[in-house]
Amino acid sequence: MNLTLHVWRQKGSRTPGRFVIYPAVGIDPDMSFLEMLDVVNEGLTKEGEEPIAFDHDCREGICGMCGVVINGRPHGPAGGATTCQVHLRQFRDGDELWIEPWRARAFPVVKDLVVDRSAFDRIIQAGGFVTARTGSAPDGNALPIPKRDADRAMDAAACIGCGACVAACPNAAAVLFVAAKVTHLASLPQGQPERYDRVRRMVEAMEAEGFGACTNHGECMAACPKEISIDCIAQLNRDFIKAAAGRA
Ligand code: SF4
Ligand code: FES
């Protein structure tokens, strides 16, 4: 198949960027989206041009590195999948694709499609951990946890920190990301000692990084490759209110 790519090229956060058109010719529909970018980059390199910078690591939906906006949708058209899990058979021969980095003040562009997501790392450092001594892996039945709580923690722990929720939100809010971390740890006994300090510190860190406020658009959940539920935001709000009111 043949595609026309409009790719955002930008040398750095202080340099203005622009879309540049590249043809992707004779592409196998079973290629992944990132493999297609590899092919385009091989062509650019052979012509002595600078390849398109894009982030990636695992290429199997685990690491959260690869996010780009494809035709206005974070991670593209697949739904419940990361950019590296998008395949070209999801497009039609002759399609034009606009490929952009995440757009958020807290995620400055490093180069082309690569953004700096270290703001998420600093939010995690503020509270996304437990101080309980966990030691080596315990026997599965040593600490009984109700199935409902274990499922809730596991679902929230699926967040891979990709940032698509921020990119999709009209306010560039990071609330779904923070809510996933808070819900994961608040659902488990190990997360109880710091539960209310955690939520307060993580929300403060989120605000200090310049993310916007949540106004319940729900775009975050629609864009999330791990389908993290906005129910987690309700959990975050409940715990934050208790922490702020000094009732916990
Ligand atoms: S909540 Fe979803 S979209 Fe947001 S960082 Fe986590 S996995 Fe990515
Ligand atoms: S490269 Fe790891 S999630 Fe896509």
Side-chain angles (χ1 to χ4, degrees):
M1 60 197 294
N2 300 321
L3 301 166
T4 303
L5 311 182
H6 301 255
V7 182
W8 187 259
R9 304 298 311 258
Q10 185 172 349
K11 286 193 185 305
S13 60
R14 295 173 190 277
T15 322
R18 66 192 175 98
F19 283 104
V20 179
I21 298 176
Y22 299 103
V25 179
I27 300 291
D28 185 332
D30 289 330
M31 268 186 187
S32 74
F33 189 84
L34 297 188
E35 284 169 337
M36 183 266 296
L37 288 182
D38 290 337
V39 169
V40 171
N41 273 347
E42 276 173 24
L44 289 175
T45 307
K46 279 184 192 149
E47 288 164 21
E49 287 187 44
E50 202 161 340
I52 300 157
F54 61 95
D55 232 339
H56 58 102
D57 190 358
C58 69
R59 295 199 177 204
E60 54 183 0
I62 297 171
C63 72
M65 298 291 287
C66 61
V68 297
V69 175
I70 307 167
N71 286 355
R73 289 190 63 176
H75 291 303
T82 53
T83 301
C84 59
Q85 294 173 310
V86 173
H87 287 81
L88 296 180
R89 54 183 175 267
Q90 289 163 298
F91 303 99
R92 284 175 306 189
D93 186 32
D95 271 357
E96 296 196 35
L97 308 184
W98 275 260
I99 307 166
E100 308 170 61
W102 290 168
R103 307 279 190 193
R105 189 176 48 170
F107 288 161
V109 170
V110 175
K111 190 175 180 184
D112 299 338
L113 305 175
V114 180
V115 300
D116 177 356
R117 290 180 296 112
S118 58
F120 272 11
D121 298 336
R122 290 186 288 276
I123 294 173
I124 294 290
Q125 282 164 5
F129 53 82
V130 295
T131 54
R133 286 176 66 85
T134 52
S136 56
D139 182 83
N141 297 324
L143 184 59
I145 296 173
K147 175 88 168 79
R148 200 182 59 171
D149 295 349
D151 285 350
R152 187 168 167 75
M154 198 67 183
D155 287 349
C159 168
I160 53 174
C162 65
C165 45
V166 176
C169 177
N171 307 329
V175 177
L176 190 64
F177 164 75
V178 175
K181 306 304 172 195
V182 163
T183 302
H184 164 204
L185 296 173
S187 302
L188 297 172
Q190 297 92 331
Q192 299 312 311
E194 300 92 5
R195 177 169 176 173
Y196 296 99
D197 270 351
R198 172 183 308 115
V199 69
R200 192 177 40 72
R201 283 191 267 120
M202 290 184 81
V203 168
E204 279 172 6
M206 174 182 76
E207 289 175 351
E209 293 292 344
F211 292 103
C214 174
T215 47
N216 295 320
H217 285 266
E219 295 293 330
C220 50
M221 184 166 80
C224 176
K226 300 301 168 185
E227 299 176 331
I228 302 290
S229 168
I230 50 175
D231 287 355
C232 293
I233 297 179
Q235 171 82 56
L236 168 76
N237 288 341
R238 277 195 299 273
D239 280 9
F240 184 75
I241 288 167
K242 279 189 191 170
R247 285 192 279 121

